[in-house]
Amino acid sequence: MKRAMAAVVVAATAVAGLLFAQAPERALLKSPQGEASVSTLELNSQLYLAADDFVKAMGGTMEPDGAGFKVTLLGKPGAFAVDNQYGVVRDELIAMPGLPVVIEGRAFVPWQFFRGFLATAGDLDLQWDPQTRVFTVSPRVRQLLTASISVIDLDDITKVVVQLSGKTQFTISRRQQSYVVKFGNPIGSPFTEQSYQNPHLARAIFRASEVEFQLTGADVVGSAYRLDDPFRVVLDLRTGAPAVAPSTPGAINLPQQRVPGIRTIVIDPGHGGSDTGAIGPNGTEEKAISLALARKLSASLSKKLKARVVLTRNSDEAIPLTQRTAIANEYQADLFLSIHLNSSLRKGAQGTETYFLSLDASDELSRQVAERENEADTAPSPAAPEGDLKFILWDLAQQEYLKESSDLAETIQDELSKATNTENRGVKQAPFRVLIGATMPAALVEVGFISNPDEESKLTSSEHQDKLVAAIVGAVERFKNQYESRIGVTPAPSVGAPAPAATPAPTPAAPVTTAPPTASTGTSR
């Protein structure tokens, strides 16, 4: 591997030598540290900065690291590589308009890398004036962002969605009987104060750069996450113990910054507790087989992919469907897999099928499967108004991940079909409640028909379970490699690792992490 990486550096250096006939030109850098001269080059109409000049002028450090370089500026770590169009700063990727190059031992990067670095690490802006050939570092000007609020009831959870006209940093804290969201930019509010007829939310009050959500009682607690395109902060309110335990008194624990790639996987063993799921002719219960498969899958994924794997339950416990995706969101999962066994009144029904979320079912049988799984919810399930449900399904979460969820389901179904040598029932779509609100690629897998005596017997055998697990692990590995290659994070340099979110409180069951947690590197996503 080291030889291959070294070859990339040599190749990049050779290419750079062919492309650059002109000598580097000097430019002036004005920053809080003073003025300094820096070298620049132009390649394919893009301006490149000599990384060593810029880092030295800003009082940072830089050192070679494999096929790239580690950079520290303003006390924050970052990195870039000559074979990757993405740099990394803390937990965020920075897209560059071209690949970094090495010329006569010196690294040159598109100047936009340092613009992104300063914005992430120090809330600073870097501007380039081509007429005067001057780079200027200055505090970022915080623009006024407009805001809107939506409040949606879904089963036992109230989703409060604050949508902004642009991205900004934010924090959330608890003040007696309210949550306060503070933003890094001034906010143009849609109203000053508004009351709600809601079981969890009493009132919303806007101030200059914050919004306070007053709760209906002291027993109302919340968890939060962020969505992009458009930028939204989502606050899930519920009655009872929080799904995420606060790290400090009076604070709500925000998820860590999500690093692109497949690093955390949440596996959901279907059913549990008084909800047995389907029962086979010989008395086999779906909840027991789904848990056995999930445990084996967790161990195998952790070992083979070195991923952090979380189970929504690791015992015979009942967990509401909305809580299962809440766990995935709060753990900043990159994939969510729900494991189930199928059942049918039709004799001889067999095979595997894999689902991803849709408001409308692919066919009548898919609709019936979703209805059966949705009826198993342990929490009260009043029907949501169609408009609210569409908002949850398409605007809040899965619209962003529809293509990835489809690809994940296709890959899993392909591997299962080859491994089980039974009927391939294909990939389908249906409105499964357990997938609603997942902010990552998500799929529900029906690994066989427990209602079929032959398949019931197979599903209870360790050998067949191992085949199913190997197929799903192979599928996740395929999806991981294709997905990470497509978004350009392989082989991106690693600077720190994503930290796990705090362990959800055991209400009704504590999820189980099967890979050791890593050190914290971020604050919010």
Side-chain angles (χ1 to χ4, degrees):
M1 177 62 73
K2 289 184 177 178
R3 290 181 179 178
M5 298 296 267
V8 172
V9 176
V10 171
T13 304
V15 170
L18 293 173
L19 292 173
F20 289 110
Q22 82 276 24
E25 295 185 64
R26 307 303 293 181
L28 181 65
L29 172 64
K30 295 182 178 181
S31 73
Q33 282 74 21
E35 296 186 358
S37 178
V38 292
S39 295
T40 67
L41 283 170
E42 189 169 316
L43 170 61
N44 294 330
S45 302
Q46 297 294 336
L47 184 67
Y48 281 64
L49 256 172
D52 54 352
D53 281 354
F54 187 89
V55 171
K56 181 179 179 181
M58 293 295 297
T61 62
M62 175 176 154
E63 60 179 324
D65 180 38
F69 296 85
K70 288 183 178 179
V71 176
T72 300
L73 280 177
L74 307 177
K76 304 297 188 300
F80 63 87
V82 296
D83 59 344
N84 201 294
Q85 207 161 327
Y86 288 87
V88 62
V89 178
R90 299 175 69 184
D91 298 327
E92 293 191 13
L93 291 182
I94 298 177
M96 295 181 280
L99 291 172
V101 295
V102 178
I103 302 171
E104 297 180 353
R106 298 185 72 191
F108 287 79
V109 296
W111 73 273
Q112 292 88 342
F113 169 73
F114 286 115
R115 185 179 194 181
F117 200 129
L118 294 181
T120 301
D123 205 25
L124 298 172
D125 190 24
L126 177 64
Q127 294 289 341
W128 164 246
D129 184 346
Q131 302 300 321
T132 60
R133 296 193 57 78
V134 173
F135 288 101
T136 304
V137 177
S138 58
R140 294 174 67 190
V141 177
R142 298 190 178 277
Q143 68 179 109
L144 177 72
L145 300 178
T146 58
S148 63
I149 288 183
S150 300
V151 178
I152 305 104
D153 287 326
L154 183 66
D155 295 344
D156 57 336
I157 291 178
T158 295
K159 286 187 176 288
V160 182
V161 185
V162 183
Q163 180 171 317
L164 301 180
S165 58
K167 293 184 178 181
T168 184
Q169 295 178 332
F170 67 94
T171 61
I172 304 180
S173 59
R174 178 95 182 206
R175 291 181 186 171
Q176 296 181 341
Q177 202 167 300
S178 65
Y179 281 113
V180 178
V181 185
K182 289 188 175 182
F183 299 103
N185 289 61
I187 301 297
S189 59
F191 54 80
T192 302
E193 182 175 326
Q194 183 164 309
S195 298
Y196 295 89
Q197 296 298 318
N198 183 274
H200 304 110
L201 178 65
R203 187 176 292 103
I205 303 172
F206 269 99
R207 302 183 183 92
S209 60
E210 69 178 39
V211 57
E212 178 182 359
F213 295 108
Q214 295 182 352
L215 310 175
T216 56
D219 60 342
V220 176
V221 294
S223 56
Y225 53 94
R226 160 187 155 180
L227 297 173
D228 290 316
D229 301 322
F231 182 88
R232 287 153 289 171
V233 177
V234 183
L235 182 63
D236 286 347
L237 301 176
R238 59 174 65 84
T239 302
V244 174
S247 57
T248 58
I252 187 170
N253 196 30
L254 290 171
Q256 302 298 320
Q257 179 74 32
R258 177 174 285 172
V259 179
I262 308 300
R263 293 171 172 79
T264 298
I265 302 170
V266 168
I267 302 172
D268 171 47
H271 308 280
S274 60
D275 171 24
T276 62
I279 300 177
N282 296 312
T284 305
E285 295 179 339
E286 179 182 358
K287 67 175 183 178
I289 302 301
S290 66
L291 179 57
L293 287 169
R295 286 171 172 167
K296 289 186 174 185
L297 188 57
S298 174
S300 185
L301 285 169
S302 298
K303 181 178 180 180
K304 189 165 185 178
L305 301 188
K306 308 303 180 186
R308 179 180 66 164
V309 183
V310 177
L311 298 180
T312 58
R313 68 179 181 94
N314 196 31
S315 60
D316 187 15
E317 299 286 343
I319 304 179
L321 296 181
T322 52
Q323 176 75 6
R324 298 174 188 243
T325 37
I327 289 170
N329 290 334
E330 287 151 3
Y331 266 85
Q332 290 291 272
D334 302 302
L335 288 182
F336 178 76
L337 299 176
S338 190
I339 307 299
H340 289 259
L341 280 64
N342 220 332
S343 178
S344 175
L345 295 176
R346 183 172 64 86
K347 290 184 178 181
Q350 63 173 334
T352 61
E353 55 192 20
T354 308
Y355 290 85
F356 63 102
L357 185 63
S358 170
L359 180 63
D360 300 310
S362 305
D363 50 50
E364 179 60 21
L365 287 177
S366 299
R367 184 189 65 79
Q368 293 176 8
V369 172
E371 282 187 355
R372 185 174 66 246
E373 299 293 357
N374 293 342
E375 288 171 358
D377 200 357
T378 59
S381 301
E386 185 181 11
D388 286 352
L389 184 58
K390 284 183 177 178
F391 182 84
I392 291 292
L393 284 169
W394 300 112
D395 189 47
L396 260 185
Q398 277 292 299
Q399 185 177 9
E400 291 187 44
Y401 304 100
L402 187 62
K403 175 63 165 61
E404 287 83 359
S405 294
S406 174
D407 290 345
L408 175 63
E410 290 279 0
T411 307
I412 291 174
Q413 187 58 30
D414 180 54
E415 294 292 336
L416 281 174
S417 177
K418 290 187 292 188
T420 60
N421 196 30
T422 59
E423 181 182 348
N424 182 351
R425 301 174 65 88
V427 172
K428 304 177 181 181
Q429 294 177 270
F432 287 97
R433 281 192 174 275
V434 74
L435 300 180
I436 292 176
T439 59
M440 72 290 299
L444 184 145
V445 187
E446 299 277 5
V447 297
F449 278 81
I450 197 173
S451 57
N452 182 318
D454 293 336
E455 289 210 345
E456 178 189 15
S457 177
K458 285 182 179 180
L459 290 165
T460 59
S461 75
S462 180
E463 181 182 358
H464 187 71
Q465 289 179 8
D466 290 343
K467 285 183 179 179
L468 293 172
V469 167
I472 296 174
V473 170
V476 171
E477 184 175 28
R478 270 179 58 190
F479 176 83
K480 178 180 187 294
N481 292 338
Q482 293 168 359
Y483 175 72
E484 291 182 345
S485 176
R486 186 168 68 249
I487 66 174
V489 299
T490 304
S494 176
V495 182
T503 302
T507 306
V512 175
T513 307
T514 60
T518 55
S520 175
T521 57
T523 55
S524 69
R525 75 160 174 148

